[in-house]
Amino acid sequence: MSERRTIGLQARALGLMGASGVLAATGFGLVPAALAAPHDVPAVQSVALQSSQTAVTSSTSHHLRVQVTANQTQASSSRVPSSGQVTVTLGTGTSDKSEFHQWQFQDADGALTVDSTGNGNLTMSNAQLSPFGKINLTIAPIGDPVVHSCEGTPQSQTQDVSLEGTFFFDSRSTGKNAWGSVGKKSKSFTFAATNTLTTTYVDTNPAGCLPDLGFQPCAASLFWQSGTEAVTLSGVKSGRHGSIFASRTTDLTAPADATRIDEAFGTSRKLVLKTSGTAASLSVTADHNSTGSATLSAKKHAKPYSAQCRKGGKSKVETSTTWSDAKYKNGSRPLAVKAEIFGAIKVADSSTAEIVKTKLT
């Protein structure tokens, strides 16, 4: 698996356990647009809308949260079409038994349209969204925008917005735990505050505006992952807590180029690493919202990597040992993370796997 995917999965797993967020100094100035010094605004590179996670009760009486996001990348020339994506997410919450489902719809027709003041619309055509529902939302600015600038050059702008109109979405799930639909077909639906519209400008000074992240936060942990780009299980143990994160991507038959991503979280009761020379074996036993067990085995690890980091205000050295050639094998009962809709998530025997152990000195 790619290094980017490994880092992303490890971050999601650590986040599930409530790892402390660290905001590094970036050197970016934040000022209301109305008070910013006069300047030539760079060309727009992309526009993104993110709604709040609004609490809803579905047609089958499930208490869920719904979020809609949309992005539109501007064309670099008249011969290159703009592109975008609209995503609807339904989820149950943030506990270790939570699950989320994202429906991603490709947008080449400009579903997201906004002007420089933050007024606009998010409108999906029947061809773009059918058979899942209807989206025709009005976007209106709330308060003043905030410009994020570097060395006097605006890099991006964020604007709080209201978001309401026609929103109806059918999960098209079946079975006794089906989530049904959310929103309203004929009455107006309002996304609760705060919804955010972000405009990113073409970077005119990349070398001078790279953020200085300083020391990164660190932790002694044990991370593992296995699967393919389509189905993945991963987990992490930091301290006494162990989590499992499951992800599955499915191509939908309609509309064209649409996908659904299922994500579910559980915990591991045991996570035991045994090493012998350069070899390693990691056994995983399920706990809350997960079942079964699995073993990851590797013959050798790569050269350990060390980097400076910071913990509790003190400088540390974090050393990572990675077994990237591991193989995955399920126990007599396969390791799986439960999900109310679309089935539990698990990976097959002999899937490519990886183990990463970090220690602090």
Side-chain angles (χ1 to χ4, degrees):
M1 296 183 186
S2 67
E3 181 179 357
R4 178 180 298 177
R5 185 169 177 82
T6 297
I7 294 173
L9 292 172
Q10 189 169 8
R12 302 276 311 252
L14 283 168
L16 175 66
M17 297 186 300
S20 299
V22 176
L23 180 63
T26 62
F28 282 74
L30 307 180
V31 295
L35 302 180
H39 53 252
D40 294 328
V41 178
V44 173
Q45 177 174 292
S46 63
V47 179
L49 171 70
Q50 178 173 294
S51 82
S52 63
Q53 296 183 29
T54 299
V56 292
T57 300
S58 75
S59 60
T60 54
S61 300
H62 281 75
H63 297 289
L64 306 173
R65 290 188 176 274
V66 61
Q67 181 179 53
V68 61
T69 61
N71 64 76
Q72 192 73 33
T73 301
Q74 303 301 306
S76 58
S77 72
S78 60
R79 292 175 294 178
V80 179
S82 61
S83 62
Q85 187 178 76
V86 176
T87 301
V88 177
T89 302
L90 292 178
T92 58
T94 57
S95 71
D96 58 11
K97 295 183 180 181
S98 62
E99 68 179 274
F100 299 86
H101 302 274
Q102 297 181 347
W103 289 261
Q104 297 181 343
F105 306 97
Q106 300 306 309
D107 164 36
D109 300 328
L112 176 63
T113 57
V114 290
D115 62 22
S116 59
T117 68
N119 286 287
N121 296 277
L122 175 61
T123 303
M124 296 286 284
S125 67
N126 187 62
Q128 291 174 307
L129 194 60
S130 179
F132 288 94
K134 298 179 179 180
I135 297 179
N136 186 1
L137 297 168
T138 298
I139 304 166
I142 300 175
D144 294 325
V146 174
V147 173
H148 306 246
S149 62
C150 177
E151 297 186 357
T153 301
Q155 303 293 298
S156 64
Q157 174 180 291
T158 56
Q159 170 74 64
D160 289 344
V161 296
S162 62
L163 189 63
E164 61 182 319
T166 302
F167 180 83
F168 175 77
F169 192 83
D170 189 345
S171 68
R172 297 181 64 81
S173 55
T174 59
K176 65 178 182 179
N177 293 319
W179 283 5
S181 60
V182 298
K184 301 175 181 179
K185 285 185 177 180
S186 56
K187 296 181 180 180
S188 180
F189 181 88
T190 300
F191 282 87
T194 299
N195 313 292
T196 305
L197 188 69
T198 302
T199 301
T200 302
Y201 302 115
V202 175
D203 197 347
T204 57
N205 188 16
C209 292
L210 291 176
D212 179 13
L213 298 179
F215 288 134
Q216 298 300 301
C218 53
S221 64
L222 180 59
F223 172 77
W224 64 271
Q225 66 175 4
S226 181
T228 65
E229 289 297 320
V231 185
T232 301
L233 286 181
S234 63
V236 67
K237 180 180 180 182
S238 181
R240 301 176 63 181
H241 301 283
S243 66
I244 303 177
F245 170 63
S247 177
R248 175 179 57 213
T249 302
T250 302
D251 293 331
L252 303 176
T253 55
D257 300 320
T259 59
R260 187 192 72 239
I261 301 175
D262 308 316
E263 298 180 343
F265 296 85
T267 60
S268 54
R269 179 164 52 89
K270 290 183 179 181
L271 196 64
V272 180
L273 177 68
K274 296 182 179 180
T275 60
S276 177
T278 60
S281 176
L282 176 67
S283 61
V284 184
T285 305
D287 198 3
H288 295 113
N289 208 47
S290 54
T291 58
S293 63
T295 301
L296 291 74
S297 302
K299 295 180 179 179
K300 61 180 180 179
H301 62 70
K303 181 179 179 180
Y305 172 78
S306 297
Q308 289 184 310
C309 59
R310 190 172 293 279
K311 181 179 181 181
K314 296 182 179 181
S315 177
K316 299 282 186 178
V317 174
E318 182 182 271
T319 301
S320 300
T321 303
T322 301
W323 292 264
S324 57
D325 63 343
K327 290 297 181 181
Y328 181 91
K329 182 175 177 56
N330 283 296
S332 56
R333 187 178 186 185
L335 182 66
V337 179
K338 300 176 183 178
E340 288 187 353
I341 57 176
F342 307 123
I345 303 174
K346 59 184 178 181
V347 299
D349 287 344
S350 300
S351 295
T352 300
E354 183 175 67
I355 305 167
V356 182
K357 180 178 176 59
T358 63
K359 65 178 183 179
L360 302 180
T361 55

